[in-house]
Amino acid sequence: MAIEKRICSIFKSPRKNEMYLYVDKKEGLERVPEELLSVFGKPQPVFDLLLTPQRKLAREDIVQVLANIEQQGFHLQMPPPPEEDELMSLPDELLRFNDPL
Protein backbone atom coordinates (compact mmCIF):
# COMPACT_ATOMS: atom_id res chain seq x y z
CA MET A 1 0.00 0.00 0.00
CA ALA A 2 1.41 3.38 -1.03
CA ILE A 3 1.74 6.11 1.57
CA GLU A 4 -0.62 8.99 0.79
CA LYS A 5 1.01 11.68 2.91
CA ARG A 6 3.64 12.09 5.57
CA ILE A 7 5.07 15.01 7.54
CA CYS A 8 8.83 14.82 7.11
CA SER A 9 11.74 16.54 8.76
CA ILE A 10 14.55 17.44 6.42
CA PHE A 11 18.14 17.77 7.61
CA LYS A 12 21.24 18.96 5.79
CA SER A 13 24.71 17.53 6.14
CA PRO A 14 27.38 19.78 7.66
CA ARG A 15 30.01 17.77 5.76
CA LYS A 16 28.66 17.62 2.22
CA ASN A 17 27.02 20.55 0.45
CA GLU A 18 23.54 19.76 -0.92
CA MET A 19 23.23 16.39 0.85
CA TYR A 20 19.91 16.03 2.68
CA LEU A 21 18.24 13.44 4.88
CA TYR A 22 14.44 13.05 4.89
CA VAL A 23 12.81 11.29 7.86
CA ASP A 24 9.33 10.91 9.29
CA LYS A 25 8.82 13.80 11.72
CA LYS A 26 7.33 11.50 14.40
CA GLU A 27 10.22 9.02 14.23
CA GLY A 28 12.98 11.57 13.87
CA LEU A 29 16.42 10.04 13.34
CA GLU A 30 15.76 6.83 15.32
CA ARG A 31 15.73 4.55 12.21
CA VAL A 32 18.75 6.14 10.51
CA PRO A 33 21.76 3.79 10.75
CA GLU A 34 24.71 5.00 12.85
CA GLU A 35 27.06 4.28 9.93
CA LEU A 36 25.14 6.76 7.77
CA LEU A 37 25.09 9.40 10.49
CA SER A 38 28.84 9.07 11.02
CA VAL A 39 29.43 9.88 7.35
CA PHE A 40 26.61 12.44 7.08
CA GLY A 41 27.72 14.37 10.17
CA LYS A 42 25.46 15.89 12.83
CA PRO A 43 22.16 16.48 10.99
CA GLN A 44 21.24 20.15 10.86
CA PRO A 45 17.46 20.78 10.77
CA VAL A 46 16.29 22.64 7.68
CA PHE A 47 12.47 22.46 7.85
CA ASP A 48 9.45 20.17 8.12
CA LEU A 49 7.35 19.50 5.04
CA LEU A 50 4.13 17.67 4.21
CA LEU A 51 4.94 15.19 1.45
CA THR A 52 2.21 13.79 -0.79
CA PRO A 53 2.52 11.89 -4.09
CA GLN A 54 1.16 14.98 -5.87
CA ARG A 55 3.85 17.30 -4.52
CA LYS A 56 6.86 18.06 -6.71
CA LEU A 57 10.40 18.07 -5.35
CA ALA A 58 13.19 19.81 -7.25
CA ARG A 59 15.60 16.86 -7.52
CA GLU A 60 13.86 13.83 -6.07
CA ASP A 61 11.05 11.48 -7.07
CA ILE A 62 8.44 12.06 -4.35
CA VAL A 63 7.05 8.51 -4.62
CA GLN A 64 10.54 7.07 -4.09
CA VAL A 65 11.17 9.42 -1.15
CA LEU A 66 7.94 8.31 0.54
CA ALA A 67 8.68 4.62 -0.16
CA ASN A 68 12.22 4.89 1.24
CA ILE A 69 10.99 6.57 4.42
CA GLU A 70 8.31 3.89 4.85
CA GLN A 71 10.63 0.93 4.18
CA GLN A 72 13.95 2.00 5.70
CA GLY A 73 13.09 5.00 7.86
CA PHE A 74 14.89 7.65 5.80
CA HIS A 75 15.67 8.95 2.33
CA LEU A 76 19.14 10.27 1.52
CA GLN A 77 19.33 12.96 -1.15
CA MET A 78 22.77 13.00 -2.67
CA PRO A 79 24.37 16.19 -4.05
CA PRO A 80 23.96 16.75 -7.79
CA PRO A 81 26.82 15.50 -9.95
CA PRO A 82 29.55 18.10 -10.40
CA GLU A 83 29.04 20.39 -13.34
CA GLU A 84 31.53 20.39 -16.16
CA ASP A 85 34.31 22.77 -15.31
CA GLU A 86 33.00 26.19 -16.38
CA LEU A 87 36.44 27.21 -17.56
CA MET A 88 36.45 24.40 -20.12
CA SER A 89 33.25 25.74 -21.70
CA LEU A 90 34.76 29.15 -22.49
CA PRO A 91 35.79 29.95 -26.05
CA ASP A 92 39.41 29.17 -26.92
CA GLU A 93 40.13 32.86 -27.55
CA LEU A 94 39.39 33.64 -23.90
CA LEU A 95 41.36 30.66 -22.65
CA ARG A 96 44.45 31.88 -24.55
CA PHE A 97 44.02 35.51 -23.54
CA ASN A 98 46.87 35.45 -20.99
CA ASP A 99 49.16 33.18 -22.98
CA PRO A 100 52.58 34.73 -23.79
CA LEU A 101 52.88 36.05 -27.35
Side-chain angles (χ1 to χ4, degrees), residues 56-67:
K56 300 283 186 223
L57 293 174
R59 293 193 342 237
E60 298 295 303
D61 174 359
I62 189 74
V63 174
Q64 188 62 55
V65 171
L66 287 166

Side-chain angles (χ1 to χ4, degrees), residues 7-9 11 21-25 28-29 32 69 73-75:
I7 298 175
C8 294
S9 294
F11 298 88
L21 193 58
Y22 295 68
V23 297
D24 184 287
K25 181 176 173 64
L29 299 167
V32 179
I69 293 170
F74 66 93
H75 173 80

Side-chain angles (χ1 to χ4, degrees), residues 82-90 95:
E83 296 292 325
E84 180 182 335
D85 187 358
E86 291 180 21
L87 186 60
M88 299 311 292
S89 63
L90 293 173
L95 293 175

Side-chain angles (χ1 to χ4, degrees), residues 2-97:
I3 298 298
E4 290 300 314
K5 62 184 174 179
R6 182 182 297 267
I7 298 175
C8 294
S9 294
I10 301 168
F11 298 88
K12 69 179 182 175
S13 170
R15 294 188 180 154
K16 187 74 173 161
N17 193 31
E18 296 191 63
M19 181 183 282
Y20 295 93
L21 193 58
Y22 295 68
V23 297
D24 184 287
K25 181 176 173 64
K26 287 187 255 175
E27 294 178 344
L29 299 167
E30 67 187 45
R31 290 177 58 199
V32 179
E34 276 302 316
E35 304 83 62
L36 174 57
L37 291 175
S38 68
V39 174
F40 189 84
K42 184 175 182 193
Q44 299 176 339
V46 178
F47 54 85
D48 294 335
L49 185 64
L50 175 64
L51 297 183
T52 67
Q54 297 76 30
R55 183 177 205 111
K56 300 283 186 223
L57 293 174
R59 293 193 342 237
E60 298 295 303
D61 174 359
I62 189 74
V63 174
Q64 188 62 55
V65 171
L66 287 166
N68 287 346
I69 293 170
E70 175 68 18
Q71 293 165 12
Q72 62 191 21
F74 66 93
H75 173 80
L76 180 63
Q77 177 178 312
M78 299 298 287
E83 296 292 325
E84 180 182 335
D85 187 358
E86 291 180 21
L87 186 60
M88 299 311 292
S89 63
L90 293 173
D92 287 338
E93 301 81 45
L94 289 177
L95 293 175
R96 289 192 303 266
F97 188 71

